[in-house]
Amino acid sequence: MRPPQPKGVAELSYGGSVKWVESSGADRYRRGLYILFQRTVPYPQLMNFDAPNSNLSCTRRERTDTPLLELGSGAGFLPEYIPGLIASEVFLCSDIQALNLMNDPVFFEAAQGLAFRVMRESSGGFRNRLSHAFQITLGREPSATEAERLGKYYDEANRHLQSSPETVAALFPNRIEGVPQLETAGWVELSRVLLNLDEFITKD
């Protein structure tokens, strides 16, 4: 399968011979295991996240060891448009990985899918939905501090979205009965935060 990749990558191949035609339909959402590995121009996301050499047997995966910064327990968000990092005693992924997680179409569509699940599978107020989102992504309940900070972020995002219908349409273009577009767009923003957490990305 061929997921979305940045424009111009395929043209870097020998003689510009690689034609990367994005997969569509159900094939677009298959597991990353099935991504076509083009040796002359490997899929960037695989390289950014330390994919092993596919030509050799792999007995031990390498790991990125150049964190952008270290976060201690209780740390807050980074500045406004770099939200993805809350309270865990962990290292943040590298800056390239963080940009990949926040901006890559694959992860953006994953955030849209998570927001849709949260809206369809849970009911009640923000806290109930946040608990469901945490169970899906992290397998646990949010702490009181995490719930408070994410609640503030969600409220702030919704205030911005109310005055920006074009942003709402970009975040969640689908109009589905029983799934409010504005509220779901807010959950897309919050889902991008959850999917950018080291706790979600890293398997200990």
Side-chain angles (χ1 to χ4, degrees), residues 110-138:
Q112 290 175 319
L114 175 58
F116 179 71
R117 281 193 63 183
V118 168
M119 294 298 294
R120 289 295 294 267
E121 296 176 5
S122 60
S123 58
F126 171 80
R127 185 59 188 266
N128 287 342
R129 288 193 162 123
L130 182 65
S131 294
H132 188 56
F134 261 69
Q135 288 294 346
I136 293 172
T137 55
L138 306 178

mmCIF file of all heavy atoms in Angstrom, residues 110-138:
data_model
loop_
_atom_site.group_PDB
_atom_site.id
_atom_site.type_symbol
_atom_site.label_atom_id
_atom_site.label_comp_id
_atom_site.label_asym_id
_atom_site.label_seq_id
_atom_site.Cartn_x
_atom_site.Cartn_y
_atom_site.Cartn_z
ATOM 1 N N ALA A 110 -5.854 9.885 11.205
ATOM 2 C CA ALA A 110 -6.031 9.072 12.407
ATOM 3 C C ALA A 110 -6.715 9.877 13.507
ATOM 4 O O ALA A 110 -7.584 9.364 14.225
ATOM 5 C CB ALA A 110 -4.680 8.550 12.890
ATOM 6 N N ALA A 111 -6.351 11.153 13.631
ATOM 7 C CA ALA A 111 -6.987 12.022 14.622
ATOM 8 C C ALA A 111 -8.466 12.229 14.288
ATOM 9 O O ALA A 111 -9.318 12.260 15.184
ATOM 10 C CB ALA A 111 -6.262 13.368 14.689
ATOM 11 N N GLN A 112 -8.776 12.379 13.014
ATOM 12 C CA GLN A 112 -10.169 12.499 12.610
ATOM 13 C C GLN A 112 -10.945 11.233 12.953
ATOM 14 O O GLN A 112 -12.074 11.289 13.445
ATOM 15 C CB GLN A 112 -10.258 12.768 11.103
ATOM 16 C CG GLN A 112 -9.780 14.148 10.684
ATOM 17 C CD GLN A 112 -9.786 14.323 9.183
ATOM 18 O OE1 GLN A 112 -9.412 13.420 8.437
ATOM 19 N NE2 GLN A 112 -10.205 15.502 8.718
ATOM 20 N N GLY A 113 -10.335 10.076 12.711
ATOM 21 C CA GLY A 113 -10.986 8.817 13.035
ATOM 22 C C GLY A 113 -11.205 8.647 14.522
ATOM 23 O O GLY A 113 -12.259 8.164 14.960
ATOM 24 N N LEU A 114 -10.215 9.057 15.324
ATOM 25 C CA LEU A 114 -10.354 8.962 16.777
ATOM 26 C C LEU A 114 -11.468 9.879 17.271
ATOM 27 O O LEU A 114 -12.286 9.483 18.108
ATOM 28 C CB LEU A 114 -9.028 9.308 17.456
ATOM 29 C CG LEU A 114 -9.048 9.364 18.988
ATOM 30 C CD1 LEU A 114 -9.493 8.045 19.586
ATOM 31 C CD2 LEU A 114 -7.660 9.752 19.516
ATOM 32 N N ALA A 115 -11.507 11.100 16.756
ATOM 33 C CA ALA A 115 -12.552 12.047 17.157
ATOM 34 C C ALA A 115 -13.938 11.501 16.817
ATOM 35 O O ALA A 115 -14.890 11.604 17.614
ATOM 36 C CB ALA A 115 -12.326 13.389 16.472
ATOM 37 N N PHE A 116 -14.063 10.901 15.649
ATOM 38 C CA PHE A 116 -15.345 10.324 15.234
ATOM 39 C C PHE A 116 -15.749 9.191 16.177
ATOM 40 O O PHE A 116 -16.907 9.093 16.599
ATOM 41 C CB PHE A 116 -15.240 9.816 13.802
ATOM 42 C CG PHE A 116 -16.500 9.186 13.287
ATOM 43 C CD1 PHE A 116 -17.615 9.959 13.005
ATOM 44 C CD2 PHE A 116 -16.576 7.817 13.092
ATOM 45 C CE1 PHE A 116 -18.781 9.381 12.531
ATOM 46 C CE2 PHE A 116 -17.732 7.230 12.619
ATOM 47 C CZ PHE A 116 -18.844 8.011 12.332
ATOM 48 N N ARG A 117 -14.801 8.335 16.550
ATOM 49 C CA ARG A 117 -15.105 7.245 17.486
ATOM 50 C C ARG A 117 -15.549 7.786 18.840
ATOM 51 O O ARG A 117 -16.503 7.280 19.439
ATOM 52 C CB ARG A 117 -13.871 6.363 17.679
ATOM 53 C CG ARG A 117 -13.606 5.373 16.590
ATOM 54 C CD ARG A 117 -12.555 4.353 17.031
ATOM 55 N NE ARG A 117 -13.015 3.556 18.163
ATOM 56 C CZ ARG A 117 -12.266 2.632 18.774
ATOM 57 N NH1 ARG A 117 -11.020 2.420 18.372
ATOM 58 N NH2 ARG A 117 -12.748 1.937 19.799
ATOM 59 N N VAL A 118 -14.847 8.793 19.319
ATOM 60 C CA VAL A 118 -15.189 9.369 20.624
ATOM 61 C C VAL A 118 -16.617 9.906 20.610
ATOM 62 O O VAL A 118 -17.388 9.692 21.553
ATOM 63 C CB VAL A 118 -14.184 10.478 20.995
ATOM 64 C CG1 VAL A 118 -14.688 11.295 22.187
ATOM 65 C CG2 VAL A 118 -12.824 9.876 21.312
ATOM 66 N N MET A 119 -16.991 10.585 19.529
ATOM 67 C CA MET A 119 -18.331 11.164 19.441
ATOM 68 C C MET A 119 -19.414 10.093 19.286
ATOM 69 O O MET A 119 -20.511 10.226 19.810
ATOM 70 C CB MET A 119 -18.394 12.148 18.275
ATOM 71 C CG MET A 119 -17.528 13.384 18.448
ATOM 72 S SD MET A 119 -18.007 14.390 19.873
ATOM 73 C CE MET A 119 -19.628 14.955 19.358
ATOM 74 N N ARG A 120 -19.115 9.031 18.565
ATOM 75 C CA ARG A 120 -20.117 8.001 18.307
ATOM 76 C C ARG A 120 -20.224 6.971 19.431
ATOM 77 O O ARG A 120 -21.300 6.435 19.683
ATOM 78 C CB ARG A 120 -19.799 7.276 16.992
ATOM 79 C CG ARG A 120 -20.037 8.110 15.742
ATOM 80 C CD ARG A 120 -21.511 8.455 15.563
ATOM 81 N NE ARG A 120 -22.322 7.279 15.313
ATOM 82 C CZ ARG A 120 -22.641 6.820 14.106
ATOM 83 N NH1 ARG A 120 -22.182 7.455 13.021
ATOM 84 N NH2 ARG A 120 -23.394 5.772 13.967
ATOM 85 N N GLU A 121 -19.128 6.697 20.110
ATOM 86 C CA GLU A 121 -19.103 5.597 21.064
ATOM 87 C C GLU A 121 -19.287 6.023 22.515
ATOM 88 O O GLU A 121 -19.466 5.170 23.387
ATOM 89 C CB GLU A 121 -17.783 4.830 20.938
ATOM 90 C CG GLU A 121 -17.596 4.159 19.590
ATOM 91 C CD GLU A 121 -16.245 3.478 19.460
ATOM 92 O OE1 GLU A 121 -15.497 3.452 20.466
ATOM 93 O OE2 GLU A 121 -15.934 2.962 18.372
ATOM 94 N N SER A 122 -19.232 7.313 22.794
ATOM 95 C CA SER A 122 -19.387 7.778 24.170
ATOM 96 C C SER A 122 -20.415 8.894 24.221
ATOM 97 O O SER A 122 -20.670 9.573 23.236
ATOM 98 C CB SER A 122 -18.049 8.261 24.734
ATOM 99 O OG SER A 122 -17.526 9.326 23.963
ATOM 100 N N SER A 123 -21.000 9.059 25.377
ATOM 101 C CA SER A 123 -22.006 10.099 25.556
ATOM 102 C C SER A 123 -21.712 10.856 26.842
ATOM 103 O O SER A 123 -20.774 10.546 27.570
ATOM 104 C CB SER A 123 -23.412 9.480 25.617
ATOM 105 O OG SER A 123 -23.491 8.535 26.673
ATOM 106 N N GLY A 124 -22.538 11.851 27.120
ATOM 107 C CA GLY A 124 -22.311 12.643 28.319
ATOM 108 C C GLY A 124 -21.429 13.838 28.034
ATOM 109 O O GLY A 124 -21.269 14.263 26.883
ATOM 110 N N GLY A 125 -20.806 14.349 29.085
ATOM 111 C CA GLY A 125 -20.006 15.552 28.966
ATOM 112 C C GLY A 125 -18.575 15.283 28.532
ATOM 113 O O GLY A 125 -18.201 14.165 28.158
ATOM 114 N N PHE A 126 -17.787 16.338 28.614
ATOM 115 C CA PHE A 126 -16.394 16.275 28.172
ATOM 116 C C PHE A 126 -15.610 15.202 28.911
ATOM 117 O O PHE A 126 -14.847 14.443 28.297
ATOM 118 C CB PHE A 126 -15.730 17.646 28.381
ATOM 119 C CG PHE A 126 -14.248 17.637 28.150
ATOM 120 C CD1 PHE A 126 -13.727 17.696 26.859
ATOM 121 C CD2 PHE A 126 -13.362 17.545 29.222
ATOM 122 C CE1 PHE A 126 -12.357 17.680 26.643
ATOM 123 C CE2 PHE A 126 -11.991 17.526 29.016
ATOM 124 C CZ PHE A 126 -11.484 17.590 27.722
ATOM 125 N N ARG A 127 -15.784 15.107 30.216
ATOM 126 C CA ARG A 127 -14.974 14.170 31.007
ATOM 127 C C ARG A 127 -15.229 12.725 30.588
ATOM 128 O O ARG A 127 -14.288 11.922 30.492
ATOM 129 C CB ARG A 127 -15.258 14.367 32.494
ATOM 130 C CG ARG A 127 -14.364 13.521 33.404
ATOM 131 C CD ARG A 127 -12.899 13.838 33.177
ATOM 132 N NE ARG A 127 -12.019 12.928 33.885
ATOM 133 C CZ ARG A 127 -11.509 13.160 35.083
ATOM 134 N NH1 ARG A 127 -11.795 14.305 35.714
ATOM 135 N NH2 ARG A 127 -10.712 12.303 35.660
ATOM 136 N N ASN A 128 -16.489 12.367 30.320
ATOM 137 C CA ASN A 128 -16.783 10.999 29.886
ATOM 138 C C ASN A 128 -16.104 10.691 28.556
ATOM 139 O O ASN A 128 -15.534 9.605 28.358
ATOM 140 C CB ASN A 128 -18.294 10.797 29.751
ATOM 141 C CG ASN A 128 -18.993 10.723 31.088
ATOM 142 O OD1 ASN A 128 -18.366 10.501 32.117
ATOM 143 N ND2 ASN A 128 -20.303 10.908 31.091
ATOM 144 N N ARG A 129 -16.181 11.644 27.648
ATOM 145 C CA ARG A 129 -15.563 11.426 26.339
ATOM 146 C C ARG A 129 -14.045 11.397 26.439
ATOM 147 O O ARG A 129 -13.381 10.633 25.730
ATOM 148 C CB ARG A 129 -16.043 12.497 25.364
ATOM 149 C CG ARG A 129 -17.499 12.294 24.956
ATOM 150 C CD ARG A 129 -17.890 13.139 23.769
ATOM 151 N NE ARG A 129 -19.094 12.632 23.160
ATOM 152 C CZ ARG A 129 -20.222 13.325 22.976
ATOM 153 N NH1 ARG A 129 -20.271 14.583 23.343
ATOM 154 N NH2 ARG A 129 -21.276 12.769 22.407
ATOM 155 N N LEU A 130 -13.482 12.226 27.299
ATOM 156 C CA LEU A 130 -12.038 12.225 27.480
ATOM 157 C C LEU A 130 -11.584 10.872 28.044
ATOM 158 O O LEU A 130 -10.560 10.327 27.611
ATOM 159 C CB LEU A 130 -11.608 13.353 28.415
ATOM 160 C CG LEU A 130 -10.101 13.472 28.647
ATOM 161 C CD1 LEU A 130 -9.381 13.848 27.346
ATOM 162 C CD2 LEU A 130 -9.793 14.500 29.732
ATOM 163 N N SER A 131 -12.337 10.332 28.980
ATOM 164 C CA SER A 131 -11.991 9.018 29.539
ATOM 165 C C SER A 131 -12.005 7.954 28.457
ATOM 166 O O SER A 131 -11.125 7.080 28.410
ATOM 167 C CB SER A 131 -12.984 8.644 30.654
ATOM 168 O OG SER A 131 -12.853 9.507 31.759
ATOM 169 N N HIS A 132 -12.990 8.027 27.566
ATOM 170 C CA HIS A 132 -13.068 7.051 26.473
ATOM 171 C C HIS A 132 -11.875 7.208 25.532
ATOM 172 O O HIS A 132 -11.271 6.211 25.109
ATOM 173 C CB HIS A 132 -14.378 7.227 25.711
ATOM 174 C CG HIS A 132 -14.633 6.165 24.693
ATOM 175 N ND1 HIS A 132 -14.649 4.829 25.004
ATOM 176 C CD2 HIS A 132 -14.875 6.235 23.352
ATOM 177 C CE1 HIS A 132 -14.891 4.113 23.907
ATOM 178 N NE2 HIS A 132 -15.025 4.950 22.894
ATOM 179 N N ALA A 133 -11.526 8.445 25.216
ATOM 180 C CA ALA A 133 -10.377 8.695 24.337
ATOM 181 C C ALA A 133 -9.091 8.166 24.962
ATOM 182 O O ALA A 133 -8.239 7.583 24.279
ATOM 183 C CB ALA A 133 -10.252 10.190 24.041
ATOM 184 N N PHE A 134 -8.913 8.355 26.265
ATOM 185 C CA PHE A 134 -7.734 7.851 26.952
ATOM 186 C C PHE A 134 -7.694 6.329 26.943
ATOM 187 O O PHE A 134 -6.626 5.729 26.782
ATOM 188 C CB PHE A 134 -7.695 8.376 28.396
ATOM 189 C CG PHE A 134 -6.785 9.559 28.588
ATOM 190 C CD1 PHE A 134 -7.106 10.790 28.028
ATOM 191 C CD2 PHE A 134 -5.614 9.460 29.326
ATOM 192 C CE1 PHE A 134 -6.280 11.882 28.206
ATOM 193 C CE2 PHE A 134 -4.781 10.548 29.502
ATOM 194 C CZ PHE A 134 -5.112 11.770 28.939
ATOM 195 N N GLN A 135 -8.850 5.691 27.128
ATOM 196 C CA GLN A 135 -8.879 4.232 27.114
ATOM 197 C C GLN A 135 -8.489 3.700 25.736
ATOM 198 O O GLN A 135 -7.778 2.691 25.621
ATOM 199 C CB GLN A 135 -10.277 3.727 27.497
ATOM 200 C CG GLN A 135 -10.632 3.912 28.965
ATOM 201 C CD GLN A 135 -9.771 3.072 29.893
ATOM 202 O OE1 GLN A 135 -9.077 2.156 29.471
ATOM 203 N NE2 GLN A 135 -9.802 3.385 31.178
ATOM 204 N N ILE A 136 -8.938 4.379 24.684
ATOM 205 C CA ILE A 136 -8.601 3.945 23.320
ATOM 206 C C ILE A 136 -7.112 4.106 23.047
ATOM 207 O O ILE A 136 -6.471 3.206 22.497
ATOM 208 C CB ILE A 136 -9.406 4.751 22.276
ATOM 209 C CG1 ILE A 136 -10.902 4.423 22.374
ATOM 210 C CG2 ILE A 136 -8.902 4.459 20.863
ATOM 211 C CD1 ILE A 136 -11.778 5.323 21.516
ATOM 212 N N THR A 137 -6.556 5.245 23.424
ATOM 213 C CA THR A 137 -5.177 5.562 23.042
ATOM 214 C C THR A 137 -4.132 5.081 24.047
ATOM 215 O O THR A 137 -3.071 4.605 23.649
ATOM 216 C CB THR A 137 -5.004 7.078 22.846
ATOM 217 O OG1 THR A 137 -5.437 7.769 24.033
ATOM 218 C CG2 THR A 137 -5.832 7.565 21.661
ATOM 219 N N LEU A 138 -4.419 5.225 25.330
ATOM 220 C CA LEU A 138 -3.417 4.947 26.358
ATOM 221 C C LEU A 138 -3.781 3.792 27.282
ATOM 222 O O LEU A 138 -2.967 3.363 28.098
ATOM 223 C CB LEU A 138 -3.152 6.206 27.198
ATOM 224 C CG LEU A 138 -2.776 7.469 26.416
ATOM 225 C CD1 LEU A 138 -2.592 8.646 27.367
ATOM 226 C CD2 LEU A 138 -1.525 7.249 25.584
#
